[in-house]
């Protein structure tokens, strides 16, 4: 026991800075899960709502891979079941999502902290302690992994991919195979490491142990479901085939500008593998092209025993898989972040991280939430991301073959300069277009549109618009403040001054500057009270020209008496 304690103390002292970072990393994310909602003020939705709906089905006796199909392999759906059955025992809060979201987020937080630990551990295999710590805080400082944790589960399969890679780099074939197999049963992606393992382990016995461990771990998870409906275990693969492309260049070529939709009820076992979509793309030929590229890379003379080369080849494999994939949801971006901070812990890496994060947020919330009809915006995001993924593939390729010529560095620098200039110019033009679209859309959807149309049709430019409160004022101001002069009546009189006296003073100043004015009232108590006082003052000095009611907005126009 004393020996274990001494080793623990020595480990803490050697990695004290990382331990402190990990504590803050975990606490920051835990408080985020508890106190923030994904999407902020732009949206309040995430896949946690879908996960909770899957948990609700257990109340009718539906369970994944027993009498319910799933787009994901068994481990994550059954984590949902376990969390839901625990959460349902806790009395609901005013927002019924609280306990499920908190418990599921906390469970996924374990994997997210594991990701930070594995990034640090992998970095120690490549760099000295100080640079490894830099890789860790680069990842810790990223926003997209935090957002993903609050609404999606990508950090869980990512953990198994990094764990498998860590054991692979550490020459532990059995453990690496187990991690890859378990990751495959969370989401299919982690199995992409299998060919790398068959190259990285030099002895045949190691390769056999690696492949056997992966196969056994997959079977251990699958076997409990075989007595029920073995066909359901194939559903995640069939879903890949039946789904339409989404948010990729392949989706653009097929004219699909929405996100990845599974158009089937998970209770309907007859819909597994069926799709009404007929693709016009030659998927077999595309797959063959990517396979040829991969095999060419796989047969190069690479230092397969080098830790940096192993990490780079894993990153390049992931890059090729994602480029070939039918779909790319915004949360998939977190798969690339560990490799960027591990292989590019410098300004170039930060540029990749920031630009990818920016286009990701534009895709996630600007396009899908605010401008779903602006298809050019999604096309721009997809093309920019694709170019960046190709750029990352080139970076990984250079990592596999170190000692690049100065010309390569110059080309890279020129490429980044050109990309940033294109983004700045294109972003400025795009922002102008989106601003105009936003204003037009919000004007059409405004509850005060009819009232504003009426004012524009009847009131000349420069007319005073006098509001009793801020409620109609906030609706009118963004659209009409360039055409009219806005005033808001005071609803407070300080000291000995009466409210009537203060309003008379304010209206007197307005009357001295305007021959015509419009009094615009809402339906609040304050509007009615101030409106009555204002009307009494105006009736003695102005002629009322018109009075109209448009929903909650009341318009009264006055012209000064001759």
């Amino acid at each position: 026991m004393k020996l274990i304690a001494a080793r623990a103390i020595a480990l803490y002292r050697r990695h004290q800075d990382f331990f402190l970072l990990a504590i803050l990393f975990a606490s920051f994310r835990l408080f985020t899960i508890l106190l923030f909602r994904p999407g902020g003020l732009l949206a309040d939705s995430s896949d946690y709502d879908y996960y909770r709906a899957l948990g609700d089905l257990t109340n009718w006796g539906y369970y994944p891979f027993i009498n319910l199909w799933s787009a994901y392999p068994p481990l994550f759906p059954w984590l949902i079941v376990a969390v839901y059955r625990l959460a349902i025992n806790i009395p609901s809060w005013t927002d019924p999502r609280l306990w499920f979201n908190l418990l599921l987020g906390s469970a996924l937080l374990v994997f997210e902290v594991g990701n930070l630990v594995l990034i640090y551990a992998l970095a120690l295999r490549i760099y000295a302690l100080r640079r490894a710590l830099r890789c860790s805080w680069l990842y810790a400082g990223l926003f997209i992994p935090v957002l993903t944790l609050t609404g999606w589960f990508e950090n869980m399969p990512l953990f198994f991919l990094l764990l498998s890679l860590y054991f692979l780099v550490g020459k532990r074939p059995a453990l690496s195979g187990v991690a890859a197999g378990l990751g495959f049963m969370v989401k299919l992606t982690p199995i992409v490491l299998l060919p790398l393992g068959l190259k990285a382990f030099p002895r045949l016995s190691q390769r056999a142990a690696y492949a056997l461990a992966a196969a056994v771990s997959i079977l251990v998870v699958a076997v409990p479901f075989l007595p029920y409906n073995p066909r359901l275990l194939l559903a995640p693969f069939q879903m890949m085939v039946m789904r339409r492309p989404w948010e990729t260049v392949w989706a653009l070529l097929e004219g699909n500008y929405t996100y990845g939709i599974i158009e089937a009820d998970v209770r309907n076992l007859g819909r597994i593998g069926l799709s009404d979509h007929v693709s016009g793309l030659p998927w077999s030929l595309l797959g063959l092209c990517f396979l040829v590229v991969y095999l060419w890379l796989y047969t190069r003379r690479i230092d397969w025993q080098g830790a940096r080369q192993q990490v780079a080849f894993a990153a390049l494999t992931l890059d090729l898989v994602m480029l070939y994939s039918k779909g790319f949801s915004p949360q998939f971006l977190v798969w690339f972040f560990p490799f960027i901070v591990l292989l590019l812990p410098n300004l170039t890496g930060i540029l990749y991280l920031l630009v990818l994060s920016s286009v990701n947020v534009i895709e996630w919330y600007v396009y899908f939430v605010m401008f779903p009809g602006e298809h050019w915006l999604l096309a721009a995001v997809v093309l920019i991301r694709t170019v960046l993924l190709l750029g990352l593939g080139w970076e990984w390729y250079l990592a596999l073959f170190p000692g690049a010529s100065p010309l390569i560095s110059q080309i890279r620098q020129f490429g980044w300069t050109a990309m940033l200039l294109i983004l700045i110019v294109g972003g400025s033009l795009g922002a102008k277009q989106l601003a105009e679209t936003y204003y037009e859309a919000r004007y059409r959807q405004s509850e005060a549109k009819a009232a504003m149309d009426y004012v524009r049709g009847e009131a000349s430019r420069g007319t005073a618009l006098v509001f009793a409160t801020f409620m109609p004022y906030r609706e009118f101001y963004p659209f009409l403040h360039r055409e009219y002069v806005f005033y808001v009546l005071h609803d407070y009189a300080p000291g000995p001054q009466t409210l009537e006296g203060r309003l008379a003073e304010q209206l007197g100043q307005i009357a001295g500057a305007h021959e015509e004015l419009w009094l615009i009232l809402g339906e609040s108590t304050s509007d009615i009270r101030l409106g009555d006082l204002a009307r009494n003052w105006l009736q003695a000095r102005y002629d009322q020209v018109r009075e109209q009611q448009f929903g909650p907005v009341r318009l009264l126009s006055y012209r000064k008496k001759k």
Side-chain angles (χ1 to χ4, degrees), residues 388-458:
L388 290 172
L389 293 186
L390 289 170
L392 283 174
W394 178 244
E395 299 285 354
W396 311 150
Y397 178 82
L398 294 178
L400 288 173
F401 302 98
S405 67
L407 178 61
I408 295 296
S409 299
Q410 292 175 3
I411 294 173
R412 180 190 296 164
Q413 184 177 359
F414 173 79
W416 261 113
T417 303
M419 170 67 78
L420 291 175
L421 286 174
I422 292 171
L423 290 176
I424 291 170
V425 174
S428 300
L429 296 175
K432 182 177 182 296
Q433 176 63 40
L434 289 179
E436 294 172 356
T437 303
Y438 178 79
Y439 268 78
E440 292 171 3
R442 299 316 299 169
Y443 186 80
R444 290 194 304 268
Q445 297 169 16
S446 173
E447 292 183 356
K449 179 183 182 299
M452 290 188 288
D453 285 342
Y454 185 78
V455 170
R456 277 179 159 161
E458 300 294 333

Side-chain angles (χ1 to χ4, degrees), residues 454 546-550 553-556:
Y454 185 78
R546 56 181 67 80
E547 181 174 347
Q548 293 287 334
Q549 185 83 29
F550 296 93
V553 181
R554 190 178 183 188
L555 304 175
L556 302 97

Side-chain angles (χ1 to χ4, degrees), residues 7 25 46 53 65 69 94 126 155 235 241 249 281 284 289 294 304 328 338 356 383 405 422-423 435 460 478 536 560:
R7 288 180 176 176
F25 178 92
S46 73
F65 299 95
W69 63 266
T94 53
I126 304 173
N155 43 48
V241 176
V249 290
L281 296 175
S284 298
C289 291
Y294 182 78
W304 294 104
F328 190 101
L356 283 169
L383 292 175
S405 67
I422 292 171
L423 290 176
S460 57
N536 291 336
K560 191 174 290 187

Side-chain angles (χ1 to χ4, degrees), residues 38-39 42-43 45 147 152 361-370:
L42 290 176
S45 64
L147 178 62
W152 294 267
V361 170
I362 291 171
E363 178 182 15
W364 229 331
Y365 294 109
V366 178
Y367 172 72
F368 282 116
V369 175
M370 300 178 70

Side-chain angles (χ1 to χ4, degrees), residues 301-320:
R301 295 175 63 88
I302 297 170
D303 179 12
W304 294 104
Q305 308 307 311
R308 181 177 175 83
Q309 283 74 19
Q310 291 171 347
V311 172
F313 193 85
L316 187 52
T317 302
L318 181 67
D319 200 82
L320 288 172

Side-chain angles (χ1 to χ4, degrees), residues 185-328:
M185 297 307 279
V186 177
K187 196 170 185 176
L188 307 180
T189 310
I191 207 67
V192 300
L193 288 183
L194 189 60
L196 173 60
L198 297 178
K199 274 281 191 179
F201 296 117
R203 297 197 303 273
L204 180 61
S205 59
Q206 291 177 313
R207 297 171 190 169
Y210 175 69
L212 182 62
V216 169
S217 61
I218 292 171
L219 286 174
V220 165
V221 176
V223 163
F225 302 102
L226 292 178
Y228 298 97
N229 193 338
R231 189 167 66 96
L232 295 181
L233 290 169
L234 300 177
F237 304 95
Q238 294 172 314
M239 285 297 101
M240 294 173 60
V241 176
M242 68 178 284
R243 294 175 74 174
R244 294 183 64 187
W246 74 97
E247 301 172 62
T248 59
V249 290
W250 318 121
L252 299 181
L253 290 172
E254 292 206 350
N256 182 27
Y257 294 93
T258 187
Y259 46 83
I261 301 174
I262 300 176
E263 299 175 347
D265 191 315
V266 293
R267 294 169 293 186
N268 184 358
L269 305 188
R271 286 293 298 171
I272 301 175
L274 299 179
S275 175
D276 298 326
H277 172 65
V278 178
S279 178
L281 296 175
W283 286 106
S284 298
L285 179 59
L286 290 171
L288 180 62
C289 291
F290 275 89
L291 181 61
V292 168
V293 172
Y294 182 78
L295 289 177
W296 181 84
L297 290 167
Y298 196 66
T299 54
R300 296 307 91 196
R301 295 175 63 88
I302 297 170
D303 179 12
W304 294 104
Q305 308 307 311
R308 181 177 175 83
Q309 283 74 19
Q310 291 171 347
V311 172
F313 193 85
L316 187 52
T317 302
L318 181 67
D319 200 82
L320 288 172
V321 169
M322 290 294 187
L323 286 170
Y324 171 68
S325 175
K326 277 186 174 183
F328 190 101

